[in-house]
């Protein structure tokens, strides 16, 4: 899923390890999140959003991702 | 030194105790290369577990959701693969046993077939359970 984790982290001059420690995960998880290989749980997404002072909707571009996913369900409409 | 994982601590202690017991046995019965190698391996793994028990980073990795997700995915995939292998083996062994009229092969085929049946029943039961729960 597309997200702004890397963008916001770099804007905050934070390393992946520093972000990982703030949200109680390993740096490997942060790497996976930034690459979009792994989608976090609601709570983890909220924790990360709180670190950057933003919303989960903005952090994970939910409107955009929803529009993309809606295209997959076009045949069911 | 803080202990972050009691499970790993006891696992490490257990392995070290096993190593000591093996060493004592070797002192009584004599030293053999395989036993010495086993002691070295047990000590190495035991000390590794003790180190992990005191590692905050390891404790975080053990508890985080991604680790649980990967473990769940890996187990699920391993289960599917095992079922597929059992299916192939069952068919191959039963056919080979029938063609060659060799009972042990047929018996092995029936055994793998039983394992496949058991795994399928367990999968259905687990599906019904989680359907109701979630």
């Amino acid at each position: 899923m597309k997200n702004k984790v890397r963008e916001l982290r770099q804007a905050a001059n934070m390393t992946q390890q520093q972000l990982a420690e703030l949200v109680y995960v390993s740096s490997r998880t942060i790497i996976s999140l930034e690459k979009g290989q792994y989608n976090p749980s609601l709570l983890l997404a909220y924790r990360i959003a709180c670190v950057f002072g933003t919303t989960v909707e903005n952090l994970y571009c939910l409107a955009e991702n929803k529009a993309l996913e809606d295209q997959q369900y076009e045949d069911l409409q | 030194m803080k202990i972050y994982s009691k499970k790993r601590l006891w696992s490490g202690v257990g392995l070290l105790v096993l190593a000591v017991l093996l060493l004592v046995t070797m002192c009584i019965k004599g030293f053999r290369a395989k036993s010495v190698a086993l002691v070295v391996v047990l000590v190495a793994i035991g000390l590794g577990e003790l180190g992990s028990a005191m590692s905050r980073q390891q404790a975080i990795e053990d508890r985080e959701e991604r680790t649980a997700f990967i473990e769940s995915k890996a187990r699920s995939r391993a289960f599917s693969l095992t079922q597929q292998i059992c299916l192939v083996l069952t068919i191959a062994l039963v056919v080979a046993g029938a063609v060659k009229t060799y009972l042990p092969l047929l018996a092995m085929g029936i055994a793998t077939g039983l394992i496949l049946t058991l795994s399928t029943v367990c999968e259905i039961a687990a599906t019904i359970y989680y359907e109701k729960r979630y």
Side-chain angles (χ1 to χ4, degrees):
Chain A
M1 200 186 283
K2 186 184 169 186
N3 63 79
K4 293 182 184 176
V5 177
R6 174 170 289 180
E7 185 187 313
L8 292 170
R9 179 180 62 77
Q10 287 172 343
N13 283 324
M14 214 184 269
T15 63
Q16 289 170 333
Q17 183 61 39
Q18 285 170 333
L19 176 58
E21 284 181 9
L22 286 172
V23 295
Y24 308 114
V25 296
S26 65
S27 55
R28 186 65 190 87
T29 298
I30 299 298
I31 293 167
S32 291
L33 290 175
E34 289 183 355
K35 286 183 179 176
Q37 289 172 338
Y38 173 70
N39 293 326
S41 65
L42 190 55
L43 203 50
L44 179 56
Y46 181 64
R47 280 186 195 275
I48 297 170
C50 287
V51 166
F52 297 128
T54 186
T55 60
V56 175
E57 288 86 347
N58 180 47
L59 180 71
Y60 263 85
C61 311
L62 290 186
E64 208 175 315
N65 281 312
K66 179 182 174 294
L68 280 169
E69 199 174 281
D70 281 346
Q71 288 174 9
Q72 293 175 23
Y73 293 120
E74 268 177 0
D75 61 320
L76 295 173
Q77 287 169 7
Chain B
M1 273 193 303
K2 190 177 174 185
I3 306 295
Y4 290 100
S5 171
K6 284 184 185 172
K7 186 180 163 188
R8 283 183 185 269
L9 174 72
W10 289 115
S11 169
V13 166
L15 287 168
L16 288 175
V17 164
L18 265 174
V20 166
L21 286 173
L22 189 56
L23 203 58
V24 166
T25 311
M26 282 195 308
C27 291
I28 296 167
K29 290 190 174 180
F31 288 80
R32 285 188 292 175
K34 281 184 188 175
S35 302
V36 170
L38 188 57
V39 167
V40 169
V41 166
L42 284 172
V43 167
I45 298 173
L47 288 174
E49 285 287 287
L50 284 178
S52 294
M54 290 183 266
S55 163
R56 183 176 176 272
Q57 192 59 35
Q58 188 63 53
I60 287 172
E61 283 183 27
D62 284 347
R63 285 183 218 187
E64 66 172 348
E65 59 186 55
R66 185 174 160 271
T67 305
F69 174 71
I70 289 169
E71 202 177 295
S72 175
K73 276 272 194 185
R75 283 184 181 211
S76 171
R77 180 55 66 103
F79 184 72
S80 293
L81 274 171
T82 305
Q83 281 186 312
Q84 286 163 16
I85 290 168
C86 274
L87 178 63
V88 169
L89 275 177
T90 302
I91 294 168
L93 286 167
V94 167
V95 166
V99 164
K100 297 276 183 183
T101 325
Y102 188 52
L103 278 178
L105 277 180
L106 268 175
M108 282 163 63
I110 290 168
T112 52
L114 280 171
I115 292 168
L116 180 62
T117 307
L118 179 64
S119 71
T120 307
V121 168
C122 287
E123 188 183 346
I124 293 168
T127 304
I128 292 168
Y129 173 77
Y130 285 111
E131 275 282 341
K132 284 186 179 176
R133 193 173 173 190
Y134 296 112

